[in-house]
Structure formats: structure tokens, C-alpha cells
């Protein structure tokens, strides 16, 4: 196990003119299903590892609606643009930041151009004392990868394009994720879909039965890494506040008025909308089936557990991660 990292890392991003999902080391960080400008900065220590990492922007560029069908037309256009930055903040407050990606479409000047300068002005930075990227702020552009698909939270999907950037982080972060030496590539077969459903059903059953200690044991590797990298070396139990906190958060009928819903999967496994990650080694069902519903009069969105799973070489299924959205 690595020592506690000396810096907290944040991924800042701005994107517009597309539906997109942002992934760190192949795993979802954030999904956006509207095309307006969206800007944010999110903590990513738990998604990074010491040495080489990747950030990918999987996107479907949209420009306007088809007047005949009312559906969005998918095409390159000059309203699409994206910038991604990585910031490291040390315990003493000192900061480092590099630019990972800064692009836009220019119809008259070629399909993809780097921005002439960062959105905030100044010069591009590609290397600091503890952060480094390859320096090509366009990233690695893949014009419609074979099988690349963007799956939104609603379950809708479209052929997508991917921009991937490699960068290195010099910090006391853990190495490979616990699932990397266990997860096998997944083929979309009826047998695989049935196994994934059983994995969701097992988690849902723990919530129904109030078996929160068993749930903690299942998700322990995820929360242990988060506790180490984000919360200053806390254990999984300390990070989530112990079994009692889990009981309050995941019990069937919560104090906030929400109630555990039946598992939200289609009648036919073939109808499940699957999102694959990390070179097809991780998978989730969209929309997320694990939900707590509020009564209509509360006017609040469902509470979700965005769980991601993997299968090992023996065919057993495990929870790999709980992503942000």
C-alpha cells in the first residue's frame, strides 16, 4: 500500500456543443446529456495512480434538430469545444496545473484545432514538478472508433468519437486498481447479461434485507482507496462513517422520505442498455437500476447508486466501483 498522497488532484473541464462522458483511466467521472456549456472541477485522487494515467472525452457532437424527425443531427460543427486541466494542491497550499486538452472544431480550417490559448488566458503548461503530459493538447483523436458508443444516463446511445490524453502523476498514490488483475474482457452475450443482472440483484437484496455489513465488505476496496487518497488515510469504515451510517443511508425507508424501489431493469435482459468501460472489462446498466424514489409531492430526483461491475476468469461477478454520476 502506498503512503498517503502529498497532493489532492482535481480535474477541471469545460465543454459545449456535444453530449459527452469524461473518463479517467477508463472509468466514468462525469456524464453530460445537454449540449450547453458545462464547467466543473472534480476531485480525482481516487481515480488516479502513480505514473501514467489517461483522460478520455467520449462525445457525440450535435448541432441542430432534423426538421423532419425532431432528432438531433450528429455532425462536426464550430460550436463544439472542450478544455481539460489537471490541478494538484499540496498540503502547504502550493499549486501546480497542466493543460491536458484544449480543442474546438473549425469547419473552415479543418475538423479539429487546438485553442490558441487556455480559456482563462495565458500560456499552455504541459509540465510541472509533479505533473506531465505529452504536450499535444489535441490529445489522440480517434475519428469514430470501432464500436465506440456514448451511453447517456437515460440509456440512450449513439456512435461516438473519443479524445484521449496520457499524462503522468508523481505522487504517493496507489498503483493499479484492485480489479485490474482480475477483470476479464466482456462479450455482450445473454449469459453475460444474466450474470450482470444477478450482480445487481445481489446488491439490491442486501439493501432490502438490511445487510449493511455485507455491503461494506463488497465495496470495501473502493472505499479503502478513497479513504487513503482523498480522506488522509482513513479506512473504508472511517471513510463511510461506519455500519450505522450505511444503515441510515441505504435502508429501505429513509428519513428523507425516499424509499428503495424495485430493481429497475427491463423484463427482457436483451433490453438492458449497457455501458462498457476500461476496454470492455467494466460494465453498468443505464439508467442506474439501484434507486430510492421520493414521493411525487417532494419534487426531488431519485437517489441512485451508480454501481459498476466486473467478472473474473472463473465467471464470478464483483462490484468494481461506484462512480459519481
Amino acid at each position: 500500500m502506498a503512503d498517503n498522497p502529498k497532493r489532492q488532484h482535481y480535474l477541471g473541464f469545460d465543454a459545449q456543443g456535444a453530449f459527452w462522458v469524461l473518463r479517467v483511466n477508463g472509468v466514468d467521472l462525469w456524464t453530460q446529456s445537454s449540449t450547453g456549456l458545462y464547467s466543473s472541477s472534480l476531485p480525482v485522487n481516487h481515480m488516479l495512480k502513480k505514473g501514467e494515467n489517461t483522460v478520455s472525452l467520449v462525445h457525440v457532437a450535435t448541432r441542430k434538430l432534423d426538421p423532419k424527425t425532431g432528432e438531433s443531427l450528429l455532425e462536426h460543427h464550430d460550436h463544439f469545444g472542450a478544455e481539460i486541466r489537471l490541478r494538484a494542491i499540496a498540503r502547504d497550499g502550493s499549486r501546480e496545473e497542466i493543460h491536458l486538452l484544449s480543442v474546438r472544431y473549425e469547419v473552415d480550417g479543418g475538423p479539429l484545432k487546438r485553442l490558441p490559448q487556455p480559456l482563462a488566458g495565458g500560456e499552455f503548461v504541459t509540465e510541472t514538478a509533479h505533473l506531465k503530459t505529452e504536450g499535444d493538447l489535441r490529445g489522440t483523436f480517434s475519428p469514430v472508433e470501432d464500436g465506440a458508443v456514448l451511453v447517456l444516463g437515460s440509456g440512450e446511445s449513439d456512435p461516438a468519437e473519443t479524445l484521449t490524453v496520457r499524462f503522468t502523476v508523481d505522487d504517493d498514490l496507489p498503483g493499479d486498481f484492485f480489479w485490474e488483475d482480475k477483470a476479464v474482457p466482456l462479450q455482450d452475450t445473454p449469459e453475460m447479461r444474466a450474470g450482470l443482472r444477478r450482480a445487481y440483484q445481489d446488491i439490491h437484496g442486501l439493501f432490502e434485507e438490511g445487510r449493511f455489513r455485507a455491503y461494506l465488505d463488497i465495496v470495501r476496496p473502493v472505499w479503502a482507496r478513497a479513504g487513503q487518497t482523498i480522506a488522509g488515510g482513513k479506512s473504508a469504515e472511517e471513510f463511510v462513517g461506519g455500519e450505522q451510517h450505511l444503515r441510515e443511508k441505504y435502508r429501505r425507508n429513509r428519513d428523507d422520505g425516499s424509499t428503495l424501489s424495485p430493481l429497475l431493469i427491463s423484463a427482457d435482459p436483451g433490453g438492458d442498455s449497457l455501458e462498457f468501460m476500461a476496454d470492455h472489462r467494466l460494465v453498468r446498466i443505464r439508467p442506474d437500476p439501484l434507486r430510492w424514489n421520493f414521493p411525487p409531492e417532494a419534487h426531488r430526483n431519485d437517489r441512485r447508486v451508480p454501481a459498476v461491475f466486473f467478472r473474473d476468469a472463473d465467471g464470478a461477478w464483483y462490484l468494481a466501483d461506484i462512480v459519481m454520476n
Side-chain angles (χ1 to χ4, degrees), residues 43-223:
V44 291
N45 261 32
H46 60 299
M47 303 184 75
L48 298 178
K49 51 189 176 181
K50 184 178 180 67
E52 186 173 282
N53 297 263
T54 63
V55 166
S56 297
L57 181 69
V58 184
H59 63 277
V60 177
T62 62
R63 182 175 188 139
K64 56 187 177 183
L65 298 180
D66 186 320
K68 294 181 179 179
T69 66
E71 296 181 354
S72 297
L73 295 172
L74 309 181
E75 61 181 10
H76 292 175
H77 59 84
D78 54 9
H79 294 296
F80 172 77
E83 182 173 284
I84 304 173
R85 305 163 298 277
L86 181 66
R87 176 179 296 171
I89 303 178
R91 297 169 188 169
D92 62 5
S94 59
R95 301 186 176 204
E96 305 173 32
E97 182 175 280
I98 59 174
H99 295 86
L100 299 176
L101 183 73
S102 193
V103 296
R104 68 184 178 196
Y105 284 121
E106 292 183 346
V107 176
D108 296 333
L112 185 67
K113 295 290 183 181
R114 61 179 285 179
L115 293 172
Q117 65 182 61
L119 293 176
E123 300 294 328
F124 288 120
V125 176
T126 58
E127 184 173 1
T128 64
H130 303 96
L131 307 173
K132 182 179 180 181
T133 186
E134 55 196 14
D136 179 5
L137 296 179
R138 286 175 48 174
T140 302
F141 182 50
S142 306
V144 189
E145 292 182 348
D146 291 339
V149 174
L150 174 64
V151 183
L152 299 174
S154 62
E156 298 178 64
S157 62
D158 282 297
E161 297 179 332
T162 303
L163 289 162
T164 297
V165 180
R166 298 184 183 279
F167 62 96
T168 57
V169 175
D170 181 13
D171 205 337
D172 290 322
L173 290 159
D176 288 347
F177 304 95
F178 80 97
W179 50 264
E180 286 196 73
D181 63 348
K182 303 179 180 70
V184 299
L186 300 167
Q187 299 294 324
D188 189 353
T189 64
E191 182 272 335
M192 187 279 292
R193 286 174 174 259
L196 176 61
R197 281 180 159 228
R198 287 193 296 272
Y200 274 103
Q201 289 164 350
D202 288 345
I203 299 293
H204 189 269
L206 296 181
F207 295 150
E208 279 194 317
E209 299 165 10
R211 298 172 56 199
F212 304 110
R213 171 57 56 176
Y215 178 63
L216 173 60
D217 290 340
I218 288 173
V219 79
R220 186 183 302 278
V222 177
W223 287 338

Side-chain angles (χ1 to χ4, degrees), residues 259-270:
T259 301
L260 179 66
S261 71
L263 193 63
L264 297 178
I265 52 179
S266 63
D268 175 14

